Amino acid sequence: MSKSFGGLLDETCEACRITEQSNGYGTSRGQREVTIENGRRGLTRNVIAELLHILRPVIYLSLVRIYGWKSWKPWLLSLAADLLSIKMMSNVRREKARRVQNLLFYLARSPFYDKISGSLIRAIAKVLGRLPLIGNPITSGAEVADKLQKYYFYISAS
């Protein structure tokens, strides 16, 4: 049985569909179909996955307030919430791919950046900084990376 978006919360829904419509200019945005398998069970998994994704910054900042910016606990629990939310998603390929790409931002967040990524970038910049023609841009790039980390990646929702 197939229902529209309004019937997603209906307890009798066995396989619900969400279909994108026209973009208003007479062309279709590509008929993307999202099916929720196993009725309520699939719906519940998607809702939990979305809640984890939405609450992740709150969880992260709450734990940062308790443990501080240098602690690994907020970073690890935020990463776990992201991974679990991605694992629980079903049949939403584009969003899942976007969230997997956003996992790369964890490389630029403290304490991972402070202990691993930043040290690696500075070491590479120090070695390659001596080379003519590419030394100055690489050194400048490392300095920009440090500034970006301090002013942009210090929060979890980047």
Side-chain angles (χ1 to χ4, degrees):
M1 177 179 208
S2 178
K3 295 190 177 201
S4 65
F5 183 75
L8 280 177
L9 297 178
D10 185 2
E11 292 183 24
T12 62
C13 180
E14 293 177 16
C16 303
R17 289 190 177 169
I18 302 169
T19 307
E20 289 183 1
Q21 299 300 321
S22 170
N23 64 6
Y25 296 102
T27 59
S28 173
R29 286 186 281 177
Q31 293 292 320
R32 183 182 70 155
E33 192 175 278
V34 178
T35 58
I36 299 174
E37 301 169 6
N38 299 329
R40 259 181 96 67
R41 181 170 175 240
L43 175 64
T44 304
R45 284 178 57 126
N46 284 339
V47 168
I48 292 171
E50 285 302 312
L51 282 173
L52 275 172
H53 181 70
I54 291 167
L55 292 175
R56 179 191 49 82
V58 175
I59 293 167
Y60 178 78
L61 291 175
S62 298
L63 291 171
V64 163
R65 185 173 168 91
I66 294 169
Y67 296 107
W69 290 105
K70 302 290 183 185
S71 175
W72 284 90
K73 290 177 186 177
W75 189 87
L76 287 170
L77 288 174
S78 178
L79 178 63
D82 258 347
L83 291 172
L84 188 59
S85 111
I86 291 169
K87 178 81 172 148
M88 292 180 75
M89 290 178 70
S90 61
N91 298 332
V92 188
R93 289 186 189 128
R94 282 186 185 159
E95 180 64 16
K96 201 178 232 186
R98 187 187 69 77
R99 290 186 189 180
V100 168
Q101 287 176 347
N102 284 346
L103 290 175
L104 291 175
F105 287 132
Y106 279 93
L107 300 176
R109 291 191 191 123
S110 291
F112 192 88
Y113 185 85
D114 298 336
K115 304 280 186 203
I116 300 169
S117 300
S119 300
L120 183 63
I121 289 171
R122 285 186 289 278
I124 290 172
K126 186 176 181 181
V127 170
L128 296 179
R130 298 181 199 143
L131 297 176
L133 298 176
I134 63 168
N136 284 339
I138 289 177
T139 304
S140 298
E143 291 172 6
V144 167
D146 280 340
K147 293 211 184 298
L148 278 175
Q149 195 278 333
K150 288 177 184 164
Y151 297 109
Y152 184 70
F153 291 107
Y154 69 95
I155 58 172
S156 77
S158 48

